[in-house]
Amino acid sequence: MSRSTIAPARISRVLPDSIAAELGFEVGDRLVSVNGQELRDLIDYQFAIADEYLELEVLDAKGDRHRVELEKDWDDDLGLEFETALFDGLIQCNNACPFCFIDQQPPEMRATLHLKDDDYRLSFLYGSYLTLTNLPQPEWERIARLRLSPLYVSVHATEPDLRARLLKNPRAAQILEQLEWFRQQQLQIHAQVVLCPGWNDGEHLTRTLLDLASFHRAIPAERVEAINKFSADEFSADVPTVLSAAVVPVGLTRFRPSEDEISPVSRDRAIAVIARVEALQAQFRAELGTTFAWLADEWYLIAGRDLPPPEHYEDYPQIGNGVGSIRQFLQDFESAAAQLPDRLPQPLQVTWVVGNSVERVFEPIAARFNQVENLDFRMLAIASQFWGQELTVTGLLTGGDILSALRDIPGGCGDVLLLPSVTLKNSQTFLDDLALEDLAQQLQVEIVTVGGGVRDLADAISNLRTGLPAGAIVRSSK
């Protein structure tokens, strides 16, 4: 693993009325050190400022060096935000997984979209998944010393040879030893399995989930006694190592390498996977008191099956992996819908863009909006031609996909286009680099971007009672 030199952390925002604002920090200033310590990342920064006396070394926008001394309560934040959480560079992936989504992007996509993140720090800070195949001993020691837990680990398979073949990396075979290390350190992880038909499904999937569940169970008392005999710290048998597991279907695009041996998940395959995992879930509930292993929502969408009820997901430990996110959205909508107006002051036609994977489950939402008098609410469910997917999640829709679909609609998309902000890679640009302003110009429509929460959607409709909400609109030349 290569590592770049630690660079001063460039400040991207100074929070109003914060300690940093009072001291005169500005956007563009660079933080060199805290109490003489150079900072590798946001984790170092958070630990370093948890002190009452701080001496900061700072470079201003002109390159002039300053020393700032201050006293504060140990838990007071300085009010600084940085351009990146990693000041010494990204730890990149050294695997060659045939199902890697980054390798399934067109080569003309900008270089930053081809960076393979496999960084334990982003896993700890933001819940991104890593494989543990690229960590030298000092990094393992840092994880233990700083108690960086939980981490989010892409396991895929626990059989050593199978995991090594899946990741095309011999170090991937060490996964069971690594899980044991987490148990010995009393650190925790959430696990995921990206299921590739013909590779890690069937009995391989059963083996993987049973192995992961064994790291959720309390270990035998005699082992605890043996560990405590040689450990300076008291070891608890009750701390689960693997907190949860998610099973996610592989996502494939038309840009995947021609030699790729991975096949997409069919409806019949999805039905078989659901049946297998549901049997294991019943076993886990009986033995562990928790469902433990959950299926991503996509399995039910592919299979044409109803989603499980809200209580199935317990406290939604894998919602970031698309496990229960649709059910939670539907449940939240029931309360948010109560805040909708009975009528709009004048007729308005609204088109809401979503990926076609959620078309069936979101039909009740469209029906409820159409109960508002004077509101003609249309849900447009789109499959991505850009990625070549029959079923597409909303976050992968490109500007070109939306433009093509809306051009084919008789009468256009009405007065307002509601666009989920998850389709944008930044506030103004789609994944295919089409600008939001260009889409508005070509469609000759007002666009309102809405957040991912159901309340955001309901609020957008409610705000239309008094006209289009300012600040969230891209205005066309209409």
Side-chain angles (χ1 to χ4, degrees):
M1 177 187 64
S2 62
R3 173 157 306 289
S4 59
T5 304
I6 296 176
R10 190 177 188 279
I11 295 167
S12 60
R13 186 182 178 207
V14 180
L15 299 183
D17 303 319
S18 64
I19 294 174
E22 292 179 6
L23 292 171
F25 277 85
E26 297 180 349
V27 172
D29 290 345
R30 289 168 289 165
L31 182 61
V32 177
S33 65
V34 177
N35 289 344
Q37 176 193 354
E38 288 188 321
L39 309 174
R40 286 183 56 184
D41 45 46
L42 191 58
I43 298 171
D44 272 354
Y45 169 77
Q46 290 172 342
F47 275 98
I49 66 169
D51 205 343
E52 295 179 345
Y53 172 80
L54 299 179
E55 182 177 301
L56 312 178
E57 185 176 355
V58 184
L59 290 173
D60 64 22
K62 297 179 180 179
D64 295 331
R65 192 173 296 266
H66 305 270
R67 292 190 181 276
V68 180
E69 298 181 6
L70 65 109
E71 290 187 43
K72 66 177 187 63
D73 292 337
W74 69 270
D75 57 347
D76 280 347
D77 185 56
L78 295 184
L80 293 176
E81 294 181 1
F82 303 96
E83 282 188 340
T84 174
L86 308 177
F87 312 148
D88 62 350
L90 177 73
I91 300 176
Q92 293 197 51
C93 181
N94 60 3
N95 306 308
C97 307
F99 52 88
C100 177
F101 193 82
I102 292 177
D103 288 339
Q104 297 183 64
Q105 299 183 75
E108 64 269 17
M109 299 287 272
R110 61 188 56 192
T112 54
L113 296 179
H114 290 278
L115 292 176
K116 294 185 179 182
D117 159 30
D118 201 9
D119 200 308
Y120 70 92
R121 299 166 299 175
L122 298 182
S123 183
F124 174 70
L125 290 168
Y126 306 120
S128 60
Y129 276 84
L130 76 159
T131 63
L132 303 173
T133 60
N134 60 356
L135 299 181
Q137 188 59 31
E139 303 294 353
W140 286 99
E141 292 170 359
R142 186 178 188 233
I143 291 171
R145 183 177 71 256
L146 300 182
R147 311 300 297 166
L148 302 184
S149 176
L151 297 183
Y152 295 77
V153 178
S154 292
V155 173
H156 306 321
T158 53
E159 296 166 82
D161 290 345
L162 175 56
R163 189 170 192 257
R165 290 200 306 273
L166 272 168
L167 275 62
K168 295 187 179 180
N169 186 340
R171 296 187 66 181
Q174 301 170 0
I175 185 61
L176 289 175
E177 291 91 338
Q178 291 166 341
L179 292 177
E180 183 60 35
W181 180 89
F182 277 94
R183 176 149 62 188
Q184 298 291 335
Q185 299 296 326
Q186 298 196 74
L187 299 173
Q188 298 177 306
I189 73 165
H190 293 279
Q192 78 164 353
V193 175
V194 174
L195 190 140
C196 303
W199 285 68
N200 58 342
D201 54 355
E203 291 301 320
H204 298 299
L205 177 60
T206 298
R207 177 73 270 153
T208 295
L209 294 181
L210 289 174
D211 283 344
L212 292 174
S214 72
F215 285 92
H216 185 90
R217 294 181 174 89
I219 67 174
E222 59 269 19
R223 284 197 59 197
V224 176
E225 183 178 349
I227 292 169
N228 284 334
K229 185 180 296 185
F230 298 101
S231 175
D233 300 315
E234 190 71 14
F235 185 89
S236 171
D238 299 326
V239 177
T241 300
V242 180
L243 295 168
S244 69
V247 182
V248 182
V250 65
L252 302 176
T253 81
R254 64 185 176 94
F255 301 105
R256 65 182 184 272
S258 58
E259 68 274 11
D260 184 5
E261 301 174 2
I262 304 295
S263 57
V265 175
S266 65
R267 182 174 184 273
D268 288 344
R269 181 83 66 167
I271 292 171
V273 169
I274 291 172
R276 179 177 293 272
V277 174
E278 284 182 343
L280 288 168
Q281 290 173 336
Q283 177 181 335
F284 295 148
R285 283 191 290 269
E287 296 177 359
L288 306 178
T290 173
T291 298
F292 176 70
W294 283 272
L295 290 157
D297 297 349
E298 290 172 78
W299 290 107
Y300 302 99
L301 301 178
I302 295 170
R305 292 269 302 273
D306 290 337
L307 295 165
E311 58 269 18
H312 169 78
Y313 297 101
E314 298 175 14
D315 60 350
Y316 291 87
Q318 288 275 358
I319 195 164
N321 231 336
V323 177
S325 56
I326 294 176
R327 173 57 66 195
Q328 189 178 75
F329 190 95
L330 294 172
Q331 189 177 19
D332 290 346
F333 182 74
E334 293 179 9
S335 58
Q339 307 302 317
L340 289 173
D342 294 328
R343 69 186 305 275
L344 297 183
Q346 57 188 10
L348 191 70
Q349 186 182 99
V350 174
T351 299
W352 178 40
V353 170
V354 296
N356 70 333
S357 65
V358 295
E359 181 175 14
R360 184 175 67 88
V361 294
F362 279 0
E363 285 175 351
I365 293 177
R368 174 60 184 89
F369 278 124
N370 279 313
Q371 293 177 13
V372 177
E373 187 178 348
N374 280 336
L375 176 61
D376 179 4
F377 187 92
R378 303 178 182 183
M379 179 176 67
L380 178 64
I382 303 173
S384 175
Q385 301 302 312
F386 180 85
W387 298 108
Q389 294 177 323
E390 292 184 11
L391 284 179
T392 305
V393 297
T394 305
L396 286 181
L397 292 177
T398 67
D401 292 328
I402 297 168
L403 181 61
S404 297
L406 288 170
R407 277 178 170 168
D408 294 338
I409 295 179
C413 49
D415 303 302
V416 179
L417 177 64
L418 287 182
L419 184 69
S421 58
V422 70
T423 61
L424 302 169
K425 64 184 176 185
N426 56 52
S427 62
Q428 297 297 320
T429 312
F430 293 94
L431 288 173
D432 58 356
D433 288 331
L434 181 69
L436 189 58
E437 177 69 29
D438 290 341
L439 181 68
Q441 293 288 342
Q442 293 192 55
L443 293 176
Q444 292 290 286
V445 68
E446 303 283 0
I447 298 179
V448 177
T449 57
V450 292
V454 68
R455 180 67 64 182
D456 299 313
L457 182 62
D459 286 349
I461 295 297
S462 297
N463 290 338
L464 295 176
R465 285 180 295 180
T466 55
L468 296 171
I473 305 169
V474 175
R475 295 196 179 276
S476 74
S477 58
K478 187 174 179 179

